């Protein structure tokens, strides 16, 4: 989701002043031609939060700055909550122990006391985790679909259909935001193709690139990279906080999550200060 609107506008103005914002498709085409780009930047937004199109998009559109949105297709239209948001809701409502007990009853390993539940869930992700969390929600008298319908955290289908294609491109972020490295190759293929077909139907344009959910090295594997190409994508993006210098492999494109706090933190992130490159910064997608 977009940060505070005023802070976001400062970030955007900084990018426009010091860099050349381009479309993701422009970057991919340049790499295919062997062209080297100087001070180019691509703005991407993951998961498909409603704020992306209702708060970030107008700011960028006024400045004629392009953006790429990677929505998770299973929650477009607020048909359900993403599994990690179900977990976050359970924690916020005081049901952390119940969620952990349900997972461990299904064979998940023990957890150290100081490990955040979200980290534990990502580290031990299984294909049945979303179903387990939905069961915990129902035991508290709630359902993911009802919460999504009430909270409306994600984009609607019309948001995608009505976006100006000159300024907005949509990419594949899988169908359920599964951690790909935990899936079989066929399960990975299904995640990618279902999302690709859904986005193509909603926008009329097949997604040019895939963004790995969460995007760290442990969250995808060689099968993920191979399948991204086989399912029709021309690039794949991670979230490993690296600078894309020179003629990089389009299936090894990296990104940095933008700082949502002080503007200086954002500048440090853009300028690749060592402490940011090592530890990362808050905010961004995944």
């Amino acid at each position: 989701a977009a940060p505070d609107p005023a802070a976001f506008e400062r970030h955007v103005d900084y990018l426009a002043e010091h860099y050349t914002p381009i479309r993701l498709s422009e970057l991919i085409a340049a790499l295919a031609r062997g062209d080297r780009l100087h001070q180019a930047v691509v703005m991407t937004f993951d998961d498909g939060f409603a704020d992306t199109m209702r708060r970030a998009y107008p700011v960028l559109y006024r400045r004629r700055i392009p953006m790429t949105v990677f929505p998770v297709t299973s929650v477009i239209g607020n048909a359900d909550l993403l599994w990690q948001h179900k977990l976050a809701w359970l924690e916020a409502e005081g049901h952390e122990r119940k969620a952990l007990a349900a997972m461990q009853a299904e064979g998940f390993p023990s957890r150290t006391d100081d490990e955040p539940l979200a980290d534990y869930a990502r580290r031990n992700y299984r294909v049945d985790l979303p179903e387990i969390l939905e069961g915990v929600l129902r035991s508290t008298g709630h359902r993911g679909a009802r919460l999504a319908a009430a909270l409306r955290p994600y984009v609607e289908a019309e948001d995608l259909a009505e976006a100006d294609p000159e300024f907005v491109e949509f990419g594949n972020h899988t169908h359920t935001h599964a951690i790909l490295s935990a899936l079989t190759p066929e399960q990975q293929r299904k995640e990618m193709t279902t999302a690709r077909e859904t986005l193509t139907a909603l926008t009329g344009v097949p997604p040019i690139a895939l963004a790995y959910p969460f995007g760290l090295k442990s969250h995808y594997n060689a099968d993920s990279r191979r399948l991204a190409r086989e399912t029709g994508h021309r690039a794949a993006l991670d979230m490993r906080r690296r600078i894309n210098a020179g003629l990089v492999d389009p299936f090894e494109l990296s990104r940095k999550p933008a700082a949502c706090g002080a503007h200086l933190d954002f500048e440090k992130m853009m300028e690749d200060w060592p402490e940011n490159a090592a530890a990362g910064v808050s905010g961004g997608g995944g």
Side-chain angles (χ1 to χ4, degrees), residues 180-237:
L180 293 173
S181 58
L183 306 185
T184 67
E186 276 311 302
Q187 289 169 336
Q188 291 195 48
R189 184 186 296 274
K190 184 177 180 181
E191 282 282 335
M192 296 179 195
T193 56
T194 301
R196 184 174 177 82
E197 291 166 1
T198 301
L199 286 171
T200 303
L202 289 173
T203 68
V205 180
I208 193 172
L210 170 79
Y212 302 121
F214 298 108
L216 299 183
K217 196 170 183 178
S218 61
H219 298 144
Y220 59 97
N221 54 26
D223 287 327
S224 312
R225 187 180 187 280
R226 172 179 60 83
L227 290 165
R229 187 188 298 272
E230 289 181 6
T231 52
H233 304 90
R234 292 172 53 197
L237 290 71

Side-chain angles (χ1 to χ4, degrees), residues 6-7 21 27 50 58 166 179 201 220 226 228 273 276 280:
L27 170 61
E166 291 296 313
I179 293 179
Y220 59 97
R226 172 179 60 83
W273 279 37
N276 290 300

Side-chain angles (χ1 to χ4, degrees), residues 1-12 43-60 67 69 153-155 257-261 266 282-285:
D4 170 73
F8 180 68
E9 294 209 32
R10 287 195 297 273
H11 296 347
V12 171
M43 297 194 67
T44 67
F45 299 81
D46 285 359
D47 299 344
F49 288 107
D51 280 356
T52 298
M53 300 306 298
R54 295 168 197 170
R55 295 173 64 181
Y57 173 65
V59 171
L60 296 171
M67 64 192 292
V69 181
Y154 311 116
V155 293
C260 292
F266 180 80
S282 62

